[in-house]
């Protein structure tokens, strides 16, 4: 057995020790944090990297002739190279730093919409999109007269691929699809979606917000035209995210925002734009955020995405088994391929009540519609209780969660 | 009893509870026993939208006093509604409009009245006071 074929299992105690916040007490109990799908906690190395940056490396990037500015620029551009490697993009210039996945999607919907969308065109999304991959496209459609089309979801929470095929047409100008559903955990067949769209020369944007912390993402293997994710969900800081775009598309799209950094020459008559990626990074960028994200991605790589995936799959199976044994509990989202998210409802109880009673026991879960109201409408429910796992969760978290849930249900039923 | 006397009564009742569990057991009990709002008022006009739970509120003016009935889809929210109704119902519009609701904080349930909680309760208190103001204005007219 070769050592490279089988990645080592996570040393979970060591991993937990890397995350200072996890040692907090909450309402007299050790914190059980099961809301990483909303935002993940940060390993010490990310905190130290940001601290170090501000103490020793900070100056504005890209224009300074002095050494400190050059060092800051180098640190910032090194972070870009780390993101390139994380996504296996072909070039650093295909990596645009943005505030988060939401801004990445808004950038594409706005710039793409202005140039390519016109009346009668269609934008194809799915019924399981987060509001951030719905509303920007609705806005682009309103401005251009294009029409938003939606691929339906079956009862298990999987995309109905026959309908997808039907909805794709020469009127479709772009497809936007979530890689992993934040509400259902469904891993969508994005490779197949992209291949089918490309047969008709339709570009595809993938919202990878929930995929980046859990799956090995390879934008070249997927052949994605655009791929976005948020730093704070991958153990990095808030306020930084990534838009990957194929070079040909980033060249073709007009800039999103105007300002410094993104220009080559400015006169009052005409401005010429800077090269990629700077054309899309107007203003002083979030250097500390980018560098912190770089440290987070290094951390993930060091643990190994294969080991992380196996650990989370095991947790998901363990939690699913325990939850299924609870009377009246219904899991929303039972797709064949799932990442570490479990949404559920319990007969005769409201998610708000369950979430409140779990909180009293130091257990953090999310309740509500998870910014996917159309998906909740699809199931005819107001919301769910959602537990989501990350690389630092272990079986004891799940045991405490299930015991806490049973206690809450005894009080409520 | 005045609004403040009722608030003080609730505060002393809650002093008996040692831990959160007893407190919430009691709230859940109150929620389950809350007389339901008349079905005809459980419509969009009476709905106070919260992201997490929904609240329906109706006010009646009888003999210069306001009677509130309400409902929620979440039972803990309903329990807190029951307390709010106990405090505010049966008082004049002026008293309601000027009430200082300090009991929620004192019984350790302030978190449920935080605007970020998004359970409809903050808007409900606002709405109860608005009813008070509105009914007071109507009476003067």
């Amino acid at each position: 057995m070769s050592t490279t074929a089988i990645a080592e299992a996570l040393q979970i105690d060591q991993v937990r020790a890397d995350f200072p916040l996890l040692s907090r007490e909450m309402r007299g109990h050790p914190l059980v944090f099961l809301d990483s799908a909303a935002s993940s906690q940060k390993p010490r190395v990310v905190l130290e990297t940001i601290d170090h940056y501000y103490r020793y490396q900070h100056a504005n990037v890209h224009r300074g002739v002095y050494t400190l500015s050059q060092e800051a620029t180098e640190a910032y551009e090194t972070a870009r190279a780390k993101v390139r490697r994380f996504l296996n993009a072909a070039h650093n210039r295909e990596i645009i730093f943005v505030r988060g996945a939401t801004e990445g999607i808004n950038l594409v919907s706005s710039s793409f919409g202005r140039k390519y969308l016109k009346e009668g065109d269609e934008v194809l999304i799915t019924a399981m999109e987060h509001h951030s991959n719905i509303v920007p496209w609705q806005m682009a459609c309103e401005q251009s007269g294009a029409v938003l089309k939606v691929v339906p979801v079956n009862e298990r929470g999987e995309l109905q691929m026959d309908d997808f095929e039907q909805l794709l047409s020469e009127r479709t100008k772009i497809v936007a699809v979530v890689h992993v559903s934040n509400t259902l955990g469904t891993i969508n067949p994005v490779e197949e979606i992209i291949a089918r769209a490309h047969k008709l020369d339709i570009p595809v944007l993938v919202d990878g917000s929930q995929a980046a912390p859990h799956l090995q993402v390879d934008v070249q293997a997927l052949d994605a035209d655009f791929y976005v994710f948020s730093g704070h969900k991958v153990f990095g800081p808030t306020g930084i995210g990534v838009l990957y775009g194929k070079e040909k598309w980033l060249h073709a799209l007009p800039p999103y925002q105007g300002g410094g950094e993104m220009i080559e020459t400015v006169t009052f008559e005409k401005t010429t734009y800077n090269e990629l990626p700077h054309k899309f990074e107007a203003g002083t960028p979030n250097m500390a955020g980018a560098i912190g994200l770089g440290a987070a991605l290094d951390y993930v790589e060091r643990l190994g995405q294969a080991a992380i995936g196996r650990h989370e799959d095991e947790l998901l199976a363990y939690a699913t088994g325990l939850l299924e044994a609870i009377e009246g509990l219904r899991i929303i989202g039972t797709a064949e391929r799932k990442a570490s998210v479990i949404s559920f409802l319990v007969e005769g109880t409201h998610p708000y009540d369950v979430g409140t009673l779990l909180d009293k026991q130091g257990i953090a879960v999310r309740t509500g519609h998870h910014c996917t109201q159309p998906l909740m409408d699809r199931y005819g429910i107001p919301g769910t209780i959602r537990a989501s796992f990350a690389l630092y969760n272990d079986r004891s978290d799940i045991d405490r969660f299930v015991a806490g849930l049973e206690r809450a249900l005894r009080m409520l039923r | 009893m005045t609004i403040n006397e009722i608030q003080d009564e609730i505060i002393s009742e809650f002093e008996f509870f040692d831990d959160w569990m007893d407190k919430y057991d009691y709230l859940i009990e109150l929620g389950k026993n809350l007389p339901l709002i008349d079905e005809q008022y459980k419509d969009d006009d009476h709905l106070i939208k919260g992201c997490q739970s929904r609240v329906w509120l109706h006010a009646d003016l009888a003999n210069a006093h306001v009677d509130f009935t309400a409902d929620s889809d979440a039972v803990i929210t309903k329990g807190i509604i029951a307390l709010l109704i106990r405090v505010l119902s049966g008082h004049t519009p002026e008293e309601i409009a000027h009430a200082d609701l300090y009991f929620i904080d004192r019984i350790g349930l302030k978190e449920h009245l935080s605007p970020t909680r998004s359970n409809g309760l903050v808007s409900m208190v606002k709405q109860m006071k608005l009813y008070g103001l509105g009914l007071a204005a109507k009476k003067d007219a």
Side-chain angles (χ1 to χ4, degrees):
Chain A
M1 194 162 61
S2 88
T3 47
T4 48
I6 296 192
E8 278 182 34
L10 290 188
Q11 299 299 311
I12 195 68
D13 289 345
Q14 280 174 31
V15 171
R16 288 175 79 89
D18 290 337
F19 290 79
L21 192 139
L22 294 181
S23 59
R24 258 199 81 173
E25 284 212 339
M26 206 53 73
R27 300 183 180 276
H29 304 274
L31 170 68
V32 173
F33 186 74
L34 300 179
D35 195 23
S36 295
S39 195
S40 64
Q41 300 303 339
K42 319 302 169 201
R44 193 170 285 108
V45 63
V46 169
L47 309 179
E48 286 168 357
T49 300
I50 294 168
D51 184 78
H52 181 269
Y53 168 75
Y54 277 126
R55 277 176 201 277
Y56 304 108
Q57 290 181 300
H58 175 72
N60 211 336
V61 290
H62 293 146
R63 285 174 307 268
V65 293
Y66 52 93
T67 309
L68 190 60
S69 170
Q70 283 166 12
E71 282 178 13
T73 302
E74 197 179 308
Y76 181 66
E77 292 304 326
T78 300
R80 195 188 306 277
K82 287 175 182 182
V83 175
R84 185 207 63 73
R85 198 175 63 207
F86 182 74
L87 293 176
N88 192 34
H91 309 288
N92 289 347
R93 56 184 177 274
E94 294 177 318
I95 304 298
I96 314 292
F97 281 120
V98 288
R99 275 190 300 149
T102 297
E103 191 179 50
I105 295 168
N106 274 279
L107 190 161
V108 177
S109 69
S110 167
S111 293
F112 187 94
R114 265 187 288 147
K115 182 156 180 185
Y116 294 107
L117 289 181
K118 55 184 194 310
E119 191 151 356
D121 288 344
E122 291 175 2
V123 172
L124 187 54
I125 64 169
T126 85
M128 66 171 87
E129 299 308 315
H130 189 280
H131 294 165
S132 60
N133 203 23
I134 301 173
V135 184
W137 297 112
Q138 280 176 329
M139 289 161 66
C141 285
E142 263 170 35
Q143 273 164 17
S144 61
V147 180
L148 195 66
K149 293 282 177 177
V150 183
V151 182
V153 168
N154 69 20
E155 194 60 28
R156 288 192 305 277
E158 295 160 338
L159 292 179
Q160 298 190 177
M161 292 300 285
D162 292 349
D163 291 289
F164 169 67
E165 192 79 39
Q166 293 263 309
L167 285 162
L168 264 188
S169 75
E170 69 282 356
R171 288 185 303 278
T172 314
K173 288 296 171 295
I174 190 164
V175 175
V177 59
V178 68
H179 196 166
V180 174
S181 160
N182 71 308
T183 303
L184 305 169
T186 308
I187 302 174
N188 284 319
V190 286
E191 201 167 353
E192 189 186 335
I193 288 169
I194 291 166
R196 291 199 200 178
H198 282 180
K199 274 190 191 151
L200 298 174
D201 287 326
I202 302 163
V204 179
L205 175 140
V206 180
D207 172 5
S209 302
Q210 298 297 334
H214 306 292
L215 308 177
Q216 182 112 43
V217 176
D218 183 334
V219 290
Q220 291 188 82
L222 289 175
D223 203 17
D225 301 282
F226 302 101
Y227 196 99
V228 299
F229 73 92
S230 291
H232 70 97
K233 290 195 200 313
V234 203
F235 319 104
T238 57
I240 189 76
V242 170
L243 163 66
Y244 159 81
K246 274 186 188 163
E247 189 173 5
K248 66 165 184 181
W249 280 114
L250 294 179
H251 274 308
L253 295 189
Y256 177 49
Q257 293 177 329
E261 287 271 347
M262 54 81 73
I263 47 88
E264 186 184 56
T265 60
V266 177
T267 65
F268 286 116
E269 288 70 39
K270 176 152 183 71
T271 292
T272 56
Y273 302 125
N274 203 339
E275 291 171 358
L276 291 173
H278 311 295
K279 171 181 155 188
F280 289 104
E281 292 183 0
T284 295
N286 180 357
M287 288 94 82
I291 292 162
L293 174 60
L297 299 183
D298 280 346
Y299 180 80
V300 168
E301 266 183 49
R302 218 159 37 241
L303 294 181
Q305 276 138 318
I308 293 168
R310 270 200 309 278
H311 172 72
E312 291 177 350
D313 286 349
E314 198 256 347
L315 283 182
L316 179 68
Y318 181 63
T320 303
L322 290 178
L323 289 180
E324 277 173 347
I326 294 176
E327 204 194 309
L329 188 146
R330 172 184 164 210
I331 291 177
I332 311 291
T334 50
E336 205 163 301
R337 293 184 65 219
K338 275 182 75 172
S340 54
V341 167
I342 305 184
S343 257
F344 63 94
L345 284 171
V346 187
E347 214 174 69
T349 67
H350 192 281
Y352 179 80
D353 294 324
V354 176
T356 298
L357 297 178
L358 285 170
D359 171 56
K360 297 285 157 216
Q361 303 171 77
I363 300 156
V365 296
R366 186 146 291 249
T367 60
H369 53 61
H370 319 298
C371 295
T372 55
Q373 280 179 13
L375 184 62
M376 298 292 95
D377 292 343
R378 150 76 183 79
Y379 283 97
I381 55 179
T384 71
I385 305 151
R386 182 189 71 185
S388 55
F389 318 118
L391 48 84
Y392 41 65
N393 290 114
D394 63 7
R395 279 185 175 232
S396 77
D397 287 333
I398 313 267
D399 290 336
R400 286 249 336 263
F401 161 56
V402 172
L405 176 63
E406 283 171 337
R407 188 174 180 186
L409 296 180
R410 277 197 301 277
M411 291 174 72
L412 290 167
R413 294 204 283 196
Chain B
M1 278 205 284
T2 66
I3 284 177
N4 284 1
E5 280 165 357
I6 304 172
Q7 293 199 76
D8 293 340
E9 189 180 70
I10 294 173
I11 291 164
S12 60
E13 282 169 21
F14 270 77
E15 277 167 3
F16 289 111
F17 300 130
D18 295 334
D19 65 0
W20 68 269
M21 245 193 109
D22 295 340
K23 202 188 286 180
Y24 277 83
D25 268 333
Y26 180 61
L27 275 182
I28 290 164
E29 212 49 49
L30 285 177
K32 285 178 178 166
N33 293 333
L34 179 71
L36 291 182
I37 193 170
D38 198 305
E39 274 305 313
Q40 62 166 316
Y41 300 127
K42 240 175 124 171
D43 57 12
D44 279 354
D45 287 344
H46 293 79
L47 178 65
I48 295 167
K49 278 182 194 141
C51 189
Q52 296 271 349
S53 59
R54 294 184 296 170
V55 171
W56 293 268
L57 176 70
H58 175 67
D60 263 327
L61 186 66
N63 302 323
H65 292 80
V66 185
D67 267 322
F68 289 110
T69 50
D71 197 6
S72 172
D73 50 358
V75 73
I76 292 173
T77 306
K78 257 174 97 171
I80 295 167
I81 290 173
L83 291 173
L84 286 166
I85 288 182
R86 181 172 150 199
V87 169
L88 292 179
S89 238
H91 295 281
T92 66
E94 290 84 357
E95 287 168 343
I96 292 164
H98 298 114
D100 166 26
L101 295 174
Y102 53 82
F103 80 102
I104 294 278
D105 192 3
R106 294 277 301 278
I107 63 177
L109 295 176
K110 194 179 161 195
E111 66 196 78
H112 291 282
L113 277 177
S114 124
T116 58
R117 194 86 179 183
S118 192
N119 55 10
L121 279 172
V122 175
S123 315
M124 177 181 164
V125 171
K126 238 184 248 163
Q127 193 60 46
M128 286 172 113
K129 294 200 157 195
L130 277 176
Y131 273 131
L133 280 174
L135 291 169
K138 216 190 264 177
K139 209 178 59 182
D140 293 341

PDB file of all heavy atoms in Angstrom, chain A residues 268-282:
ATOM      1  N   PHE A 268      -9.574  62.884 -19.280  1.00  0.00           N
ATOM      2  CA  PHE A 268     -10.999  63.168 -19.178  1.00  0.00           C
ATOM      3  C   PHE A 268     -11.741  62.733 -20.433  1.00  0.00           C
ATOM      4  O   PHE A 268     -12.952  62.585 -20.429  1.00  0.00           O
ATOM      5  CB  PHE A 268     -11.235  64.648 -18.861  1.00  0.00           C
ATOM      6  CG  PHE A 268     -10.892  64.957 -17.433  1.00  0.00           C
ATOM      7  CD1 PHE A 268      -9.850  65.817 -17.122  1.00  0.00           C
ATOM      8  CD2 PHE A 268     -11.575  64.344 -16.392  1.00  0.00           C
ATOM      9  CE1 PHE A 268      -9.507  66.077 -15.818  1.00  0.00           C
ATOM     10  CE2 PHE A 268     -11.240  64.597 -15.076  1.00  0.00           C
ATOM     11  CZ  PHE A 268     -10.207  65.462 -14.778  1.00  0.00           C
ATOM     12  N   GLU A 269     -11.031  62.486 -21.498  1.00  0.00           N
ATOM     13  CA  GLU A 269     -11.683  62.040 -22.726  1.00  0.00           C
ATOM     14  C   GLU A 269     -11.849  60.528 -22.737  1.00  0.00           C
ATOM     15  O   GLU A 269     -12.870  59.999 -23.121  1.00  0.00           O
ATOM     16  CB  GLU A 269     -10.886  62.482 -23.969  1.00  0.00           C
ATOM     17  CG  GLU A 269     -10.954  63.975 -24.261  1.00  0.00           C
ATOM     18  CD  GLU A 269     -10.191  64.814 -23.226  1.00  0.00           C
ATOM     19  OE1 GLU A 269      -9.101  64.380 -22.787  1.00  0.00           O
ATOM     20  OE2 GLU A 269     -10.723  65.873 -22.824  1.00  0.00           O
ATOM     21  N   LYS A 270     -10.815  59.812 -22.291  1.00  0.00           N
ATOM     22  CA  LYS A 270     -10.889  58.346 -22.388  1.00  0.00           C
ATOM     23  C   LYS A 270      -9.946  57.673 -21.400  1.00  0.00           C
ATOM     24  O   LYS A 270      -8.851  58.152 -21.163  1.00  0.00           O
ATOM     25  CB  LYS A 270     -10.517  57.910 -23.823  1.00  0.00           C
ATOM     26  CG  LYS A 270     -10.478  56.393 -23.981  1.00  0.00           C
ATOM     27  CD  LYS A 270     -10.800  55.935 -25.391  1.00  0.00           C
ATOM     28  CE  LYS A 270     -10.827  54.413 -25.464  1.00  0.00           C
ATOM     29  NZ  LYS A 270     -11.959  53.804 -24.787  1.00  0.00           N
ATOM     30  N   THR A 271     -10.418  56.569 -20.860  1.00  0.00           N
ATOM     31  CA  THR A 271      -9.604  55.775 -19.947  1.00  0.00           C
ATOM     32  C   THR A 271      -9.367  54.409 -20.573  1.00  0.00           C
ATOM     33  O   THR A 271     -10.276  53.827 -21.149  1.00  0.00           O
ATOM     34  CB  THR A 271     -10.329  55.612 -18.599  1.00  0.00           C
ATOM     35  OG1 THR A 271     -10.390  56.891 -17.965  1.00  0.00           O
ATOM     36  CG2 THR A 271      -9.613  54.633 -17.695  1.00  0.00           C
ATOM     37  N   THR A 272      -8.145  53.950 -20.502  1.00  0.00           N
ATOM     38  CA  THR A 272      -7.912  52.563 -20.931  1.00  0.00           C
ATOM     39  C   THR A 272      -7.676  51.724 -19.683  1.00  0.00           C
ATOM     40  O   THR A 272      -7.116  52.202 -18.700  1.00  0.00           O
ATOM     41  CB  THR A 272      -6.698  52.449 -21.877  1.00  0.00           C
ATOM     42  OG1 THR A 272      -5.567  53.013 -21.207  1.00  0.00           O
ATOM     43  CG2 THR A 272      -6.960  53.162 -23.178  1.00  0.00           C
ATOM     44  N   TYR A 273      -8.134  50.489 -19.771  1.00  0.00           N
ATOM     45  CA  TYR A 273      -8.161  49.657 -18.575  1.00  0.00           C
ATOM     46  C   TYR A 273      -6.891  48.848 -18.423  1.00  0.00           C
ATOM     47  O   TYR A 273      -6.218  48.500 -19.394  1.00  0.00           O
ATOM     48  CB  TYR A 273      -9.385  48.738 -18.616  1.00  0.00           C
ATOM     49  CG  TYR A 273     -10.662  49.526 -18.714  1.00  0.00           C
ATOM     50  CD1 TYR A 273     -11.573  49.282 -19.745  1.00  0.00           C
ATOM     51  CD2 TYR A 273     -10.937  50.545 -17.811  1.00  0.00           C
ATOM     52  CE1 TYR A 273     -12.737  50.027 -19.846  1.00  0.00           C
ATOM     53  CE2 TYR A 273     -12.082  51.301 -17.908  1.00  0.00           C
ATOM     54  CZ  TYR A 273     -12.989  51.035 -18.931  1.00  0.00           C
ATOM     55  OH  TYR A 273     -14.117  51.785 -19.039  1.00  0.00           O
ATOM     56  N   ASN A 274      -6.620  48.526 -17.181  1.00  0.00           N
ATOM     57  CA  ASN A 274      -5.453  47.735 -16.829  1.00  0.00           C
ATOM     58  C   ASN A 274      -5.627  46.291 -17.310  1.00  0.00           C
ATOM     59  O   ASN A 274      -6.719  45.854 -17.663  1.00  0.00           O
ATOM     60  CB  ASN A 274      -5.288  47.776 -15.300  1.00  0.00           C
ATOM     61  CG  ASN A 274      -3.875  47.478 -14.861  1.00  0.00           C
ATOM     62  OD1 ASN A 274      -3.101  46.881 -15.607  1.00  0.00           O
ATOM     63  ND2 ASN A 274      -3.538  47.890 -13.654  1.00  0.00           N
ATOM     64  N   GLU A 275      -4.545  45.564 -17.240  1.00  0.00           N
ATOM     65  CA  GLU A 275      -4.583  44.150 -17.622  1.00  0.00           C
ATOM     66  C   GLU A 275      -5.294  43.344 -16.542  1.00  0.00           C
ATOM     67  O   GLU A 275      -5.483  43.795 -15.424  1.00  0.00           O
ATOM     68  CB  GLU A 275      -3.136  43.631 -17.732  1.00  0.00           C
ATOM     69  CG  GLU A 275      -2.384  44.220 -18.885  1.00  0.00           C
ATOM     70  CD  GLU A 275      -0.910  43.852 -18.827  1.00  0.00           C
ATOM     71  OE1 GLU A 275      -0.503  43.171 -17.854  1.00  0.00           O
ATOM     72  OE2 GLU A 275      -0.185  44.243 -19.742  1.00  0.00           O
ATOM     73  N   LEU A 276      -5.590  42.099 -16.893  1.00  0.00           N
ATOM     74  CA  LEU A 276      -6.123  41.150 -15.910  1.00  0.00           C
ATOM     75  C   LEU A 276      -5.029  40.811 -14.905  1.00  0.00           C
ATOM     76  O   LEU A 276      -3.862  40.754 -15.288  1.00  0.00           O
ATOM     77  CB  LEU A 276      -6.565  39.863 -16.603  1.00  0.00           C
ATOM     78  CG  LEU A 276      -7.796  39.984 -17.494  1.00  0.00           C
ATOM     79  CD1 LEU A 276      -8.003  38.670 -18.243  1.00  0.00           C
ATOM     80  CD2 LEU A 276      -9.021  40.352 -16.693  1.00  0.00           C
ATOM     81  N   PRO A 277      -5.370  40.586 -13.664  1.00  0.00           N
ATOM     82  CA  PRO A 277      -6.699  40.616 -13.066  1.00  0.00           C
ATOM     83  C   PRO A 277      -7.116  42.014 -12.587  1.00  0.00           C
ATOM     84  O   PRO A 277      -8.216  42.194 -12.115  1.00  0.00           O
ATOM     85  CB  PRO A 277      -6.530  39.687 -11.856  1.00  0.00           C
ATOM     86  CG  PRO A 277      -5.111  39.917 -11.428  1.00  0.00           C
ATOM     87  CD  PRO A 277      -4.329  40.168 -12.691  1.00  0.00           C
ATOM     88  N   HIS A 278      -6.181  43.000 -12.724  1.00  0.00           N
ATOM     89  CA  HIS A 278      -6.387  44.308 -12.073  1.00  0.00           C
ATOM     90  C   HIS A 278      -7.568  45.073 -12.641  1.00  0.00           C
ATOM     91  O   HIS A 278      -8.159  45.908 -11.955  1.00  0.00           O
ATOM     92  CB  HIS A 278      -5.104  45.125 -12.165  1.00  0.00           C
ATOM     93  CG  HIS A 278      -3.903  44.345 -11.745  1.00  0.00           C
ATOM     94  ND1 HIS A 278      -3.741  43.902 -10.449  1.00  0.00           N
ATOM     95  CD2 HIS A 278      -2.856  43.846 -12.452  1.00  0.00           C
ATOM     96  CE1 HIS A 278      -2.613  43.193 -10.375  1.00  0.00           C
ATOM     97  NE2 HIS A 278      -2.067  43.140 -11.582  1.00  0.00           N
ATOM     98  N   LYS A 279      -7.930  44.767 -13.896  1.00  0.00           N
ATOM     99  CA  LYS A 279      -9.091  45.404 -14.531  1.00  0.00           C
ATOM    100  C   LYS A 279     -10.355  45.264 -13.678  1.00  0.00           C
ATOM    101  O   LYS A 279     -11.237  46.127 -13.715  1.00  0.00           O
ATOM    102  CB  LYS A 279      -9.281  44.720 -15.890  1.00  0.00           C
ATOM    103  CG  LYS A 279     -10.526  45.046 -16.648  1.00  0.00           C
ATOM    104  CD  LYS A 279     -10.510  44.233 -17.960  1.00  0.00           C
ATOM    105  CE  LYS A 279     -11.901  44.002 -18.487  1.00  0.00           C
ATOM    106  NZ  LYS A 279     -11.907  43.074 -19.629  1.00  0.00           N
ATOM    107  N   PHE A 280     -10.435  44.179 -12.900  1.00  0.00           N
ATOM    108  CA  PHE A 280     -11.632  43.937 -12.089  1.00  0.00           C
ATOM    109  C   PHE A 280     -11.398  44.204 -10.595  1.00  0.00           C
ATOM    110  O   PHE A 280     -12.212  43.831  -9.765  1.00  0.00           O
ATOM    111  CB  PHE A 280     -12.121  42.497 -12.276  1.00  0.00           C
ATOM    112  CG  PHE A 280     -12.719  42.264 -13.633  1.00  0.00           C
ATOM    113  CD1 PHE A 280     -12.018  41.581 -14.611  1.00  0.00           C
ATOM    114  CD2 PHE A 280     -13.983  42.762 -13.917  1.00  0.00           C
ATOM    115  CE1 PHE A 280     -12.572  41.374 -15.857  1.00  0.00           C
ATOM    116  CE2 PHE A 280     -14.547  42.560 -15.166  1.00  0.00           C
ATOM    117  CZ  PHE A 280     -13.837  41.868 -16.154  1.00  0.00           C
ATOM    118  N   GLU A 281     -10.269  44.807 -10.270  1.00  0.00           N
ATOM    119  CA  GLU A 281      -9.992  45.075  -8.844  1.00  0.00           C
ATOM    120  C   GLU A 281      -9.798  46.567  -8.623  1.00  0.00           C
ATOM    121  O   GLU A 281      -8.705  47.038  -8.291  1.00  0.00           O
ATOM    122  CB  GLU A 281      -8.780  44.267  -8.374  1.00  0.00           C
ATOM    123  CG  GLU A 281      -9.052  42.770  -8.332  1.00  0.00           C
ATOM    124  CD  GLU A 281      -7.883  41.945  -7.787  1.00  0.00           C
ATOM    125  OE1 GLU A 281      -6.842  42.520  -7.429  1.00  0.00           O
ATOM    126  OE2 GLU A 281      -8.025  40.707  -7.743  1.00  0.00           O
ATOM    127  N   ALA A 282     -10.887  47.321  -8.780  1.00  0.00           N
ATOM    128  CA  ALA A 282     -10.820  48.771  -8.595  1.00  0.00           C
ATOM    129  C   ALA A 282     -10.585  49.108  -7.128  1.00  0.00           C
ATOM    130  O   ALA A 282     -11.136  48.469  -6.246  1.00  0.00           O
ATOM    131  CB  ALA A 282     -12.120  49.408  -9.072  1.00  0.00           C
TER     132      ALA A 282
END
